[in-house]
Amino acid sequence: MKCQCCGSEMVLFMNFKKTYVCHGCGHVYWNWNKTQDEIKKFYDSWRNNEKPIAKQKRIKWSKNICEFIDSTYKIKNNDSILEIGSFDGIMSKHLHYFFQDCELHLNELDTSSYEKYLAKNFKNTYNCNFLEMKGKFDVLVAIDVLEHFDNLKSFYDKVVELEINTLILQVPFKRPLRGDIDKRDFHPHYHLFSKNSIQKLFSDGYVMTNWKKTTHDFSAKGPEQICIFKRRRNATV
């Protein structure tokens, strides 16, 4: 199996059955081998049964992320910002507050979340798979989203197609691998990223300009990395 980030050969970790690691860039991939229907059934059940993270904690995390963006990278006035995976709009409200002169667009796949939170409170909302999005946007914000994509190249190809100039991502930082995850039938994450692997993934079309490894409870429960990428002039699919 080839690494989706750098193209090196991936190998199974120790005696695990689904956990692959890349010795070239440090990337970790879980090969769940599930159909789209099986994944949808999992998420429908997960949304109904998973205990939600406290709202005040998520508000704090979103504020910390926006403060980091605002202090390290200048988003231009009148830029169009596309946030994907907007869920209940907590991050969206902070983006609107911090970047009031920008045009905010929100994308959410889950119809119930879209109808309950986004469609009622925001303009420019899209209830569809991100890979089906059309148009052109200046900035893309994807917080805790990329690790849910099995096929990373499909994500890269879409951001190039949408002519995104700036990528702002938060993804889980590589951490100790646990056997309990490998034994599961499915887990919503497919990937753990190293700094090297996230750079390699976008290197053909984007250059990383800002990076932060977060501590526990800064922007999520575990260690994350916030990455800002700028598009190269010759970026192509």
Side-chain angles (χ1 to χ4, degrees):
M1 179 184 295
K2 297 292 185 182
C3 176
Q4 296 186 50
C5 295
C6 74
S8 299
E9 197 69 30
M10 299 194 83
V11 297
L12 279 170
F13 180 70
M14 297 177 61
N15 60 345
F16 289 11
K17 296 181 178 180
K18 305 181 184 79
T19 307
Y20 288 79
V21 296
C22 175
H23 295 302
C25 67
H27 193 68
V28 175
Y29 171 69
W30 284 289
N31 184 22
W32 297 117
N33 196 26
K34 293 293 182 182
T35 67
Q36 289 302 310
D37 285 342
E38 289 173 323
I39 294 171
K40 184 179 184 305
K41 288 179 182 178
F42 169 86
Y43 275 109
D44 288 344
S45 173
W46 180 77
R47 290 187 183 97
N48 291 329
N49 299 307
E50 182 76 2
K51 184 178 180 181
I53 298 173
K55 184 176 180 180
Q56 288 303 314
K57 188 177 288 288
R58 294 179 57 236
I59 289 172
K60 182 187 78 170
W61 293 348
S62 297
K63 181 173 180 288
N64 286 344
I65 293 169
C66 284
E67 286 179 344
F68 171 76
I69 297 169
D70 194 39
S71 65
T72 59
Y73 185 84
K74 179 64 176 177
I75 294 180
K76 299 176 183 177
N77 292 345
N78 301 317
D79 269 359
S80 56
I81 301 175
L82 171 62
E83 182 200 10
I84 67 173
S86 301
F87 184 43
D88 59 359
I90 287 180
M91 183 67 188
S92 315
K93 291 177 181 178
H94 282 89
L95 289 170
H96 177 71
Y97 174 79
F98 276 84
F99 310 106
Q100 296 181 21
D101 294 323
C102 294
E103 183 180 81
L104 185 61
H105 298 254
L106 308 178
N107 167 246
E108 173 55 49
L109 175 61
D110 178 52
T111 300
S112 61
S113 299
Y114 174 83
E115 293 177 347
K116 185 176 181 180
Y117 302 109
L118 303 181
K120 294 180 180 179
N121 299 300
F122 298 94
K123 299 178 180 179
N124 305 319
T125 59
Y126 310 86
N127 179 209
C128 65
N129 189 314
F130 168 65
L131 300 180
E132 299 170 354
M133 286 289 296
K134 304 294 182 183
K136 177 181 177 181
F137 304 93
D138 298 303
V139 180
L140 182 135
V141 177
I143 306 302
D144 302 326
V145 170
L146 187 56
E147 60 270 24
H148 297 271
F149 278 76
D150 185 4
N151 184 344
L152 295 177
K153 188 176 187 305
S154 67
F155 183 93
Y156 171 84
D157 289 349
K158 177 54 71 170
V159 299
V160 173
E161 176 191 320
L162 295 176
E163 300 184 44
I164 304 294
N165 290 318
T166 303
L167 293 175
I168 301 174
L169 311 173
Q170 175 168 283
V171 295
F173 194 76
K174 186 177 178 182
R175 57 199 69 171
L177 298 176
R178 308 197 318 264
D180 62 317
I181 293 179
D182 189 82
K183 293 176 182 177
R184 296 185 188 185
D185 183 58
F186 182 71
H187 183 277
H189 289 186
Y190 286 90
H191 306 274
L192 285 177
F193 297 85
S194 67
K195 182 180 181 181
N196 191 20
S197 73
I198 193 72
Q199 284 182 296
K200 291 286 188 182
L201 174 62
F202 293 101
S203 60
D204 285 348
Y206 293 82
V207 59
M208 183 185 287
T209 60
N210 306 79
W211 182 85
K212 176 181 178 67
K213 179 184 176 184
T214 68
T215 55
H216 171 75
D217 204 35
F218 176 84
S219 57
K221 288 191 290 185
E224 306 281 324
Q225 50 184 325
I226 306 173
C227 318
I228 301 179
F229 292 86
K230 193 70 177 174
R231 183 185 176 107
R232 300 181 190 271
R233 290 185 179 181
N234 59 344
T236 58
V237 174

